Amino acid sequence: MIGWALFISFFVTVCKSDEIIDLDGNNWFLRDGSGEFKNLRAVVPGGVYSDLMRHEIIEDIFKGYNDNATKWVPRRNWTYSTTFNVKQDVLNSDNVNIVFEGLDTFARVVVNGKDVGGSNNMFVQYIMSIKDVLKVGSNSLEVQFRSPIEVAAALEEEQDKQYVVPPKCPPGEYRGECYANMIRKMQASFSWDWGPAFPSVGIWKKVYIESYQESKIRYIGTEITDDQTNWYLNVDIYLANNAKGAVNGAVKIDINGLTNTVNVQAKPDNNGEIKANSIFTVPKTTVETWWPNGYGKQTLYKLQATFTNNQGETNSKTVRVGFRSIELVQEQLGSGLSFYFKVNGVPIFMKGSNEIPLSILPEKGHHRSLIETMLNTAQENHMNMLRVWGGGVYESDYFYDLADEKGILIWQDFMFACAMYPTGSDYLLNVVQEIRHQVNRLRSHPSIALFAGNNENEGALRDNWYGTQDNFQTYYNDYIKLYINTVQTELKERISPNRIFLSSSPSNGLKTINEGYVSQNPGDYNYGDVHFYNYENDPWNSNIYPVCRFASEYGYQSLPSLSSWRKVTNDPEDLNINGRFMEHRQHHPEGTSQLKNMIEMNLKLPDETSADYTKSFVYLSQVVQALAIRIETEHYRRYRSNLNSAGQGHTMGALYWQLNDVWVAPTWSGIDFLGNQKMLQYFVKDAFAPVIITGHINDQRTLEIYVVSDRLETIPNVTASIQVFKWDSFNPVHTENITLDVSPSESKLIKSIETDEFLAEQNCGSKDDAKNNCFFYFTLNAPGHDQVAPVNYVFPAPLKNSNLKRPTVVLKSVTQVDTKPFKYYVKIGTDVVTPFVWLESSIQGRFENNGLLLTSPATCFEYTATTDDIDIHFINSVTITHL
Ligand SMILES: *[C@@H]1O[C@H](CO)[C@@H](O)[C@H](O)[C@H]1NC(C)=O
Ligand SMILES: *[C@@H]1O[C@H](CO)[C@@H](O)[C@H](O)[C@H]1NC(C)=O
Ligand SMILES: *[C@@H]1O[C@H](CO)[C@@H](O)[C@H](O)[C@H]1NC(C)=O
Ligand SMILES: *[C@@H]1O[C@H](CO)[C@@H](O)[C@H](O)[C@H]1NC(C)=O
């Protein structure tokens, strides 16, 4: 067990000014239902895994087989308890409540021995009146949690008496828990194909006691519409009810020098809510517009609402407003409907990723450094949209605040994923509470672009993923009850009609609505958004990718670096892709054989008997994933202003799967659990650059070279340089320069080449063999050689067949160029063309670019450390890997 000294001493404080007793901190104790563990010091916000790890009752759950070894933890009941002091002035208030911003999940709350309320949804904020049970002086509080696994099973047994709501259990490979769909808890906490089952239990958000006489402001919800000259800011203020059952007072609202005051004399409405409303007309000339990342500034205006009553009670709350409009355009196009976003009237190609919960332990998902890592990466990688995926959690306020500041639009799913769901009246009432709370909490953020009902459940129902076909009508009725009659109804009661709601991610958009919310063919490329996965075909062949309107999920697995694996196991035997440990963490059915297959299509699999087998495998898996996603992403971008002969295309979004990880495992992520960027993340930065030059070889073996620009202005007089290199020389055998003006918001074909004939003419070899000896290399430069787009290349044949020469790659020199933060230039030399040169440093930090194709004898890499704690010479920390 851990000593007391390790706990930061914490005193419960009574803040007279706002009458709040903060109960966060370590003045808590944890015990389990069996009596084995008692009086364990606990931390709130937190959860049982964190507390048990701190006491070394369980080992670090992220290491070894500890997911398996700790399966007993969520099978017990756990109780958190504390005591707190209350002074007379708190009890003088007519209203005294305990507020839990998040309880995970099934709890009874007992104050001084009396049950004051319960919880059954981790996404709801619970406010329980405790005035009648409090006393001056010391008071006791217990939060008695039940095992979520036990509750889910009991609910499923009840449900089964009517009919089964599948899936009951995840595939065996997930090593997960059953019946997640029965309960309103992070669905992925029962396991996923990229994550372990850690169904935490605990008080995962703030808890405090509030008191007030008349009322206080609970939420500020803003809606923005506009016309040519004005923004119209509609402000809903939600006020707390009181013991009298009616609120009298006034709300004053200030924004940017404008003030409105609303008198409130109200009883709760049919929803039990007390609302004040005010509309501001804000001339467009008086404020700056909020823009997504890459399109302008993210100016935010503070909106403050203050409640006062005639006894002099006063409290206030603020939100930040960003003035922007956003619409989803779905109009006749080709053989279907378009599907693209216009922000402030400008069609914008959405570039980004899908985020899974920032941590599998929900309280850790609030860590600021973690949120900053993710959103900084998104911003630096030219992303303008992230999807908060429906199997995780509604993220913390700080996550959305930062998205507002960085111009990252949020595609916000409601938390339902890959399952049928129950629709009993208790369940639906529970969902109503969740939707109200989360929509009120989130909707004022300018980053929130849209809400979506669920992840993949429309497709799951139509395409019979869970064996529901024989009883389709039953599950269809449930689908409508849940996502349309409940989720959509509650949402639309709050948001303005011009807001975007999609009943499922993905969907066919308007066609889904017209076909009764479950389309005949949910994956139709002519409509809406598409999720695309394919593990059978060559991932470096762009012709396998769908020509769709919007790709909202697509991806490939890879392994995180060996240094990350070494942080979770000390046993060298575990570092074997075919071994028991890595297989334990491979949750995707057939995942490892798919990885091998993916590698083998373009590269040579490493020799299984070699000492470097797994190291090579890790590297190759990252190479394949990185270039596959670059090729696929550029494929979508090439179609931004083009239709194919079937009328498909005008693709206006590419959100790859997945941004982050929740443990060290083979997954689809670009950033691993320890925060290291895989090669993918570097390639994403290039694939998402505002302007790209990109080539692909079509099914007729014609190389088509495009310049794609997301910029809103023409870039005049740039030089596209098309070169052919032989693998054995730094001197190109062919260079052709094309001068062009890069048109705004356009994808333009600038050159077509008959690949094999052309390469033969460049003395690359015979028409059949030339493709194995040469490759294409593209740059796009402004006069004066400034790069307009990242360099790019096309390999005309699988690299395993190409005549690559064995290079000698050396670290030539390291120059320290800065100390705050530490920054280095690393000069890498090679004697021949070398693809995928990958640098790693044991010092925490990041390269500016990595995984490069070297076409000259010396190349400079730039490294920025994210720690001051550098105990070895940088030069000794660097390792180089190449093909
Ligand atoms: C998981 O735990 C069970 C029970 O303790 C044990 O029998 C089994 O071998 C463990 N599996 C792994 C992969 O460690
Ligand atoms: C948890 O508590 C519930 C309700 O008190 C009880 O029915 C159940 O048996 C307990 N489960 C365990 C594993 O102790
Ligand atoms: C082609 O363009 C490249 C890059 O801008 C430049 O370095 C080179 O000199 C140009 N070559 C010719 C033949 O114009
Ligand atoms: C275009 O750029 C070339 C150099 O790349 C320069 O010689 C020429 O003057 C430029 N033309 C215009 C119209 O700017």
Side-chain angles (χ1 to χ4, degrees):
M1 292 216 187
I2 229 156
W4 293 109
L6 278 183
F7 291 102
I8 308 147
S9 92
F10 186 92
F11 300 96
V12 169
T13 50
V14 180
C15 314
K16 262 191 187 152
S17 52
D18 52 3
E19 315 285 10
I20 278 176
I21 305 174
D22 189 344
L23 298 179
D24 292 349
N26 73 337
N27 188 33
W28 285 85
F29 294 91
L30 176 63
R31 65 170 191 268
D32 83 318
S34 76
E36 187 182 355
F37 304 108
K38 322 187 202 0
N39 292 325
L40 301 176
R41 270 283 165 160
V43 173
V44 169
V48 283
Y49 291 101
S50 294
D51 289 321
L52 295 174
M53 278 192 277
R54 202 177 302 104
H55 287 283
E56 296 178 9
I57 289 168
I58 58 175
E59 289 173 25
D60 185 339
I61 60 168
F62 297 105
K63 292 190 174 168
Y65 293 97
N66 290 335
D67 58 319
N68 187 51
T70 56
K71 291 242 177 239
W72 59 272
V73 171
R75 288 181 161 68
R76 295 196 184 181
N77 295 328
W78 295 95
T79 294
Y80 279 85
S81 61
T82 189
T83 55
F84 55 93
N85 277 300
V86 173
K87 292 190 182 159
Q88 185 61 47
D89 60 347
V90 171
L91 288 182
N92 289 346
S93 294
D94 283 352
N95 305 282
V96 184
N97 302 321
I98 186 162
V99 180
F100 292 95
E101 294 195 351
L103 288 169
D104 181 15
T105 295
F106 299 97
R108 297 306 312 174
V109 176
V110 177
V111 177
N112 293 333
K114 298 197 185 66
D115 189 317
V116 298
S119 69
N120 59 355
N121 187 331
M122 80 179 281
F123 308 124
V124 167
Q125 170 173 271
Y126 289 96
I127 300 172
M128 300 164 189
S129 172
I130 54 170
K131 180 171 162 73
D132 294 343
V133 301
L134 286 188
K135 54 184 201 269
V136 172
S138 180
N139 291 262
S140 74
L141 165 62
E142 283 199 356
V143 185
Q144 303 166 348
F145 287 98
R146 285 196 58 193
S147 155
I149 291 175
E150 209 172 78
V151 175
L155 289 170
E156 204 268 344
E157 203 178 310
E158 269 314 294
Q159 174 65 47
D160 270 13
K161 289 179 186 159
Q162 296 171 51
Y163 58 94
V164 173
V165 173
K168 291 195 170 196
C169 298
E173 289 87 345
Y174 288 23
R175 293 168 252 284
E177 303 293 351
C178 299
Y179 319 124
N181 58 345
M182 292 293 129
I183 62 177
R184 296 310 300 145
K185 176 173 173 63
M186 179 205 292
Q187 298 289 281
S189 73
F190 275 43
S191 76
W192 215 264
D193 57 1
W194 38 257
F198 286 122
S200 191
V201 166
I203 303 167
W204 71 290
K205 290 187 164 193
K206 289 175 175 303
V207 48
Y208 48 86
I209 290 166
E210 63 174 18
S211 64
Y212 54 87
Q213 208 55 33
E214 187 72 27
S215 186
K216 65 179 280 191
I217 297 172
R218 288 258 180 260
Y219 308 101
I220 302 173
T222 60
E223 295 297 314
I224 294 178
T225 52
D226 71 328
D227 60 22
Q228 288 291 340
T229 45
N230 294 312
W231 297 104
Y232 302 98
L233 177 67
N234 183 18
V235 185
D236 290 321
I237 308 290
Y238 291 81
L239 292 159
N241 197 4
N242 59 29
K244 295 178 301 186
V247 169
N248 285 303
V251 177
K252 181 166 155 279
I253 307 165
D254 294 290
I255 178 164
N256 200 34
L258 303 173
T259 299
N260 283 356
T261 301
V262 193
N263 288 318
V264 186
Q265 286 184 307
K267 291 189 155 99
D269 62 18
N270 291 339
N271 292 339
E273 292 169 326
I274 297 176
K275 247 181 4 188
N277 174 269
S278 178
I279 296 176
F280 288 82
T281 301
V282 181
K284 285 192 167 170
T285 51
T286 62
V287 290
E288 288 183 333
T289 306
W290 184 97
W291 286 96
N293 182 31
Y295 290 86
K297 289 205 284 183
Q298 289 80 41
T299 311
L300 297 166
Y301 294 87
K302 184 172 129 184
L303 182 151
Q304 176 159 328
T306 306
F307 173 81
T308 51
N309 78 344
N310 46 22
Q311 277 91 51
E313 184 174 68
T314 166
N315 62 73
S316 54
K317 196 174 174 74
T318 61
V319 294
R320 295 182 304 176
V321 173
F323 292 95
R324 56 104 181 105
S325 68
I326 179 158
E327 71 182 291
L328 178 59
V329 181
Q330 298 182 76
E331 48 194 30
Q332 199 59 44
L333 177 71
S335 35
L337 296 175
S338 65
F339 187 90
Y340 67 92
F341 293 92
K342 263 189 189 172
V343 183
N344 303 321
V346 177
I348 290 185
F349 189 106
M350 293 301 164
K351 297 182 288 199
S353 186
N354 291 269
E355 75 99 33
I356 60 171
L358 292 179
S359 171
I360 201 74
L361 302 183
E363 74 273 14
K364 288 197 193 291
H366 291 179
H367 286 187
R368 290 193 163 218
S369 60
L370 192 58
I371 298 169
E372 285 159 7
T373 300
M374 296 307 155
L375 289 168
N376 286 342
T377 305
Q379 183 186 38
E380 288 158 11
N381 289 184
H382 313 290
M383 297 189 198
N384 52 26
M385 183 176 266
L386 282 178
R387 172 163 167 253
V388 175
W389 166 76
V393 296
Y394 308 92
E395 291 292 349
S396 64
D397 293 340
Y398 186 59
F399 178 90
Y400 298 95
D401 284 342
L402 226 52
D404 293 343
E405 289 169 20
K406 293 178 179 297
I408 309 296
L409 289 164
I410 302 296
W411 176 309
Q412 179 68 51
D413 282 359
F414 289 108
M415 295 300 138
F416 304 89
C418 293
M420 304 294 112
Y421 282 90
T423 58
S425 55
D426 288 352
Y427 187 88
L428 293 179
L429 279 174
N430 195 0
V431 170
V432 165
Q433 298 309 312
E434 170 183 332
I435 304 302
R436 286 182 186 169
H437 172 58
Q438 294 298 343
V439 171
N440 285 342
R441 182 172 79 91
L442 299 180
R443 68 176 163 123
S444 296
H445 289 279
S447 55
I448 294 280
L450 74 143
F451 291 99
N454 62 64
N455 171 72
E456 295 183 351
N457 291 346
E458 181 186 343
L461 175 55
R462 174 59 70 196
D463 295 337
N464 195 30
W465 295 2
Y466 305 117
T468 52
Q469 202 55 56
D470 293 344
N471 228 335
F472 179 83
Q473 197 59 37
T474 301
Y475 299 103
Y476 175 77
N477 292 344
D478 282 352
Y479 191 93
I480 299 298
K481 265 191 224 164
L482 178 55
Y483 305 113
I484 308 308
N485 299 345
T486 305
V487 172
Q488 177 175 258
T489 301
E490 284 304 321
L491 175 69
K492 293 217 162 159
E493 220 172 273
R494 266 136 240 279
I495 58 175
S496 56
N498 65 336
R499 285 260 198 162
I500 304 159
F501 173 71
L502 298 168
S503 48
S504 187
S505 303
S507 81
N508 285 338
L510 284 176
K511 188 178 170 73
T512 282
I513 297 176
N514 293 338
E515 294 182 350
Y517 296 101
V518 178
S519 255
Q520 292 303 320
N521 173 18
D524 196 329
Y525 295 166
N526 296 292
Y527 299 90
D529 60 322
V530 164
H531 292 182
F532 182 80
Y533 296 96
N534 175 319
Y535 306 111
E536 281 77 53
N537 298 318
D538 176 3
W540 289 3
N541 174 3
S542 62
N543 302 303
I544 72 165
Y545 295 117
V547 181
C548 56
R549 308 296 186 208
F550 195 110
S552 52
E553 272 194 28
Y554 57 97
Y556 291 97
Q557 275 200 347
S558 71
L559 298 180
S561 71
L562 274 188
S563 69
S564 296
W565 283 103
R566 286 199 187 99
K567 295 245 163 61
V568 298
T569 177
N570 298 321
D571 185 351
E573 295 283 299
D574 284 347
L575 302 180
N576 177 352
I577 181 68
N578 299 319
R580 177 168 159 262
F581 181 62
M582 286 193 173
E583 208 42 55
H584 178 75
R585 289 190 172 216
Q586 171 58 277
H587 282 193
H588 190 52
E590 306 298 326
T592 304
S593 60
Q594 287 165 355
L595 269 170
K596 288 180 180 167
N597 189 37
M598 255 174 66
I599 294 171
E600 257 189 318
M601 282 188 269
N602 285 289
L603 306 164
K604 291 193 182 79
L605 272 177
D607 176 5
E608 283 195 31
T609 60
S610 107
D612 275 349
Y613 172 61
T614 299
K615 182 169 182 282
S616 304
F617 197 98
V618 164
Y619 166 77
L620 294 175
S621 75
Q622 291 201 18
V623 165
V624 173
Q625 179 198 34
L627 188 57
I629 296 292
R630 183 172 185 186
I631 287 170
E632 186 169 358
T633 301
E634 293 181 356
H635 159 86
Y636 296 128
R637 292 190 66 187
R638 268 199 307 276
Y639 272 103
R640 83 159 280 165
S641 38
N642 304 308
L643 293 179
N644 68 10
S645 55
Q648 296 163 341
H650 205 289
T651 311
M652 283 296 280
L655 312 179
Y656 68 91
W657 184 270
Q658 70 200 61
L659 182 69
N660 56 310
D661 260 342
V662 297
W663 72 336
V664 175
T667 77
W668 294 254
S669 77
I671 305 173
D672 79 12
F673 178 62
L674 295 149
N676 302 310
Q677 297 201 355
K678 293 179 177 172
M679 197 181 294
L680 167 63
Q681 207 57 53
Y682 293 97
F683 279 44
V684 159
K685 189 178 178 188
D686 285 348
F688 282 163
V691 180
I692 55 171
I693 178 164
T694 169
H696 86 122
I697 296 174
N698 70 16
D699 281 332
Q700 287 74 47
R701 298 267 323 145
T702 305
L703 170 68
E704 298 176 326
I705 302 161
Y706 284 77
V707 170
V708 185
S709 176
D710 291 339
R711 295 255 189 242
L712 302 182
E713 70 287 346
T714 301
I715 311 171
N717 197 26
V718 303
T719 304
S721 181
I722 299 162
Q723 297 185 307
V724 175
F725 281 87
K726 279 183 126 165
W727 284 109
D728 63 4
S729 170
F730 291 134
N731 295 320
V733 293
H734 172 86
T735 298
E736 175 181 354
N737 285 352
I738 301 171
T739 303
L740 72 154
D741 294 343
V742 179
S743 310
S745 305
E746 196 182 38
S747 163
K748 195 152 79 188
L749 180 67
I750 62 162
K751 181 87 183 170
S752 293
I753 292 172
E754 301 313 316
T755 305
D756 299 310
E757 293 81 348
F758 180 80
L759 291 178
E761 284 162 21
Q762 309 314 317
N763 296 322
C764 291
S766 69
K767 193 174 163 238
D768 289 338
D769 194 37
K771 61 179 181 288
N772 298 320
N773 297 317
C774 288
F775 64 93
F776 295 96
Y777 190 82
F778 315 117
T779 59
L780 194 67
N781 293 308
H785 300 290
D786 285 343
Q787 264 197 14
V788 173
V791 303
N792 213 338
Y793 43 84
V794 165
F795 303 138
L799 288 189
K800 65 180 174 188
N801 302 333
S802 299
N803 294 314
L804 273 69
K805 298 291 168 255
R806 182 172 290 276
T808 305
V809 181
V810 293
L811 199 165
K812 289 176 100 110
S813 67
V814 167
T815 319
Q816 185 176 319
V817 288
D818 209 343
T819 52
K820 272 190 175 123
F822 284 103
K823 202 175 241 178
Y824 307 88
Y825 288 156
V826 184
K827 200 176 194 185
I828 298 294
T830 183
D831 56 349
V832 71
V833 171
T834 317
F836 308 114
V837 175
W838 177 243
L839 268 51
E840 288 172 287
S841 167
S842 55
I843 294 168
Q844 196 188 309
R846 197 152 58 69
F847 286 94
E848 193 59 36
N849 44 18
N850 211 343
L852 300 183
L853 170 65
L854 306 189
T855 54
S856 60
T859 306
C860 186
F861 290 65
E862 189 180 324
Y863 191 80
T864 308
T866 51
T867 174
D868 294 334
D869 188 17
I870 296 179
D871 54 359
I872 57 171
H873 278 305
F874 182 77
I875 197 160
N876 297 328
S877 80
V878 177
T879 56
I880 311 170
T881 317
H882 56 83
L883 208 58

